[in-house]
Amino acid sequence: MKLSAYVMAMAMTASTLVGCATSPTGRNQILLFGSDQLNAMGAQAFDGMKSETPVSKQPAQNQYVQCVADTLLPYVPSGVYSGNWEVVVFNDDQVNAFALPGGKIGVYTGLLKVAKNQHQLAAVIGHEIGHVIAQHGNERMSQTTLIQTGSQVANQVLAANQVPYNAEIMGALGLGLQLGVQLPFSRTHESEADLIGLQLMAKAGFDPRQSVDLWRNMEAASGGERPMELLSTHPAPDSRIKNLQANMEAAMADYQASPSKASCSQ
């Protein structure tokens, strides 16, 4: 217990010295990496994916996804990425999409079977762009760096003091960090990206109410086979729906104030 408190205190002290920032929802963040470094890493990872995963050759499909992304992107805050965003549809059955620093967006064809219309697709792409807006990749890398540093120091302290059951203590510490820090941290990112995406889609003229229908579709597509929320990197669909509904009034106000309604046909 004393060791765990020591490691956490050390990580908290380090966090006060470097990279303090605030997320779009007002949450304190630790960001240790520069945007140029993250953009380069994102572009490199995206190029790797394009070389390993087949890219869709269907013009209508590509135009549809591009239209949704192009409708959202003007509402991304300035300073997130100044270049042209690249949007690629990957021919893969997984129900997923992603966005990377450096202006990269990937959508898997499997998602188009679950996101039934332009509004639901916008909810997913908006969510993924939300991760980039909030610099979640930077934050996760920074957290991992701090935890690894803390774990190394803890292991050295145990070894220097010849504490019995060193491996067992380090294993328990690692499990505690995973359940108490990393997994809740990841769920926080997902919930935050949901809200950023909700606001983004509403301002772009997509119906934010469809985000709730999307997660009902996601739950149906999964067949309910999910780990309990405590052990998951993502909030349960019911939790996500409640979070979206709690913020729907503000989103609807943005939607009604949108200068034009989105129009992307599949």
Side-chain angles (χ1 to χ4, degrees), residues 50-97:
K50 288 190 293 183
S51 67
E52 296 171 3
T53 307
V55 174
S56 172
K57 303 298 184 183
Q58 298 185 30
Q61 194 174 66
N62 283 281
Q63 289 170 11
Y64 170 57
V65 174
Q66 186 74 52
C67 177
V68 172
D70 285 346
T71 307
L72 290 167
L73 288 172
Y75 296 89
V76 173
S78 60
V80 172
Y81 180 69
S82 59
N84 294 321
W85 289 68
E86 181 181 4
V87 181
V88 174
V89 181
F90 292 98
N91 192 17
D92 191 291
D93 287 337
Q94 63 177 295
V95 182
N96 209 351

Side-chain angles (χ1 to χ4, degrees), residues 14-224:
S15 73
T16 65
L17 301 177
V18 288
C20 293
T22 304
S23 78
T25 63
R27 183 176 53 81
N28 291 332
Q29 296 177 291
I30 304 302
L31 306 176
L32 305 182
F33 301 91
S35 58
D36 289 345
Q37 184 179 3
L38 268 292
N39 289 346
M41 292 172 65
Q44 182 178 10
F46 201 66
D47 287 342
M49 293 194 65
K50 288 190 293 183
S51 67
E52 296 171 3
T53 307
V55 174
S56 172
K57 303 298 184 183
Q58 298 185 30
Q61 194 174 66
N62 283 281
Q63 289 170 11
Y64 170 57
V65 174
Q66 186 74 52
C67 177
V68 172
D70 285 346
T71 307
L72 290 167
L73 288 172
Y75 296 89
V76 173
S78 60
V80 172
Y81 180 69
S82 59
N84 294 321
W85 289 68
E86 181 181 4
V87 181
V88 174
V89 181
F90 292 98
N91 192 17
D92 191 291
D93 287 337
Q94 63 177 295
V95 182
N96 209 351
F98 63 90
L100 298 174
K104 308 299 181 183
I105 297 173
V107 174
Y108 295 104
T109 51
L111 175 64
L112 302 180
K113 300 174 184 177
V114 178
K116 302 295 186 182
N117 54 48
Q118 61 170 345
H119 309 286
Q120 294 179 19
L121 180 59
V124 179
I125 296 178
H127 167 96
E128 299 303 333
I129 294 173
H131 283 306
V132 177
I133 292 173
Q135 301 191 71
H136 288 160
N138 192 338
E139 196 174 4
R140 287 172 184 169
M141 289 174 56
S142 301
Q143 182 204 48
T144 299
T145 298
L146 290 174
I147 287 176
Q148 288 176 344
T149 301
S151 296
Q152 290 170 0
V153 171
N155 194 31
Q156 291 171 1
V157 170
L158 289 171
N161 289 277
Q162 298 181 333
V163 177
Y165 306 108
N166 187 337
E168 289 81 358
I169 292 173
M170 288 303 300
L173 178 59
L175 179 61
L177 287 170
Q178 182 182 28
L179 294 178
V181 179
Q182 291 174 302
L183 290 178
F185 202 59
S186 180
R187 292 194 295 272
T188 296
H189 283 176
E190 292 301 317
S191 297
E192 191 168 58
D194 280 347
L195 297 186
I196 296 170
L198 184 71
Q199 182 185 56
L200 193 64
M201 70 180 292
K203 288 182 175 180
F206 293 101
D207 187 346
R209 294 167 294 190
Q210 287 287 325
S211 63
V212 172
D213 292 332
L214 167 75
W215 282 107
R216 289 173 177 152
N217 293 349
M218 289 285 199
E219 176 69 357
S222 72

Side-chain angles (χ1 to χ4, degrees), residues 6-16 30 146-147 150:
Y6 168 77
V7 173
M8 292 304 295
M10 184 189 65
M12 291 175 66
T13 301
S15 73
T16 65
I30 304 302
L146 290 174
I147 287 176

